[in-house]
Amino acid sequence: MSALASGGKLLHFHGGESFHMGCFTVLWASRHISQLPGFLPPRPRRYERTRR
């Protein structure tokens, strides 16, 4: 990731693609946990017990 003078960011991916993210770009992300047999889910993080 590179910072741009306009306040945006330029993301570089391993495949050679790049993505220009302006300062008002809204990103939405979610995490999907696989239900495949033999899949080990990630361990819970330590700080989650203290968050409210």
Side-chain angles (χ1 to χ4, degrees), residues 13-33:
F13 296 96
H14 291 288
E17 300 92 0
S18 60
F19 175 69
H20 175 259
M21 188 170 60
C23 57
F24 295 106
T25 301
V26 176
L27 293 179
W28 184 88
S30 68
R31 181 164 51 174
H32 173 76
I33 297 180

Side-chain angles (χ1 to χ4, degrees), residues 31-43:
R31 181 164 51 174
H32 173 76
I33 297 180
S34 176
Q35 299 296 320
L36 296 174
F39 176 76
L40 296 175
R43 292 182 12 210

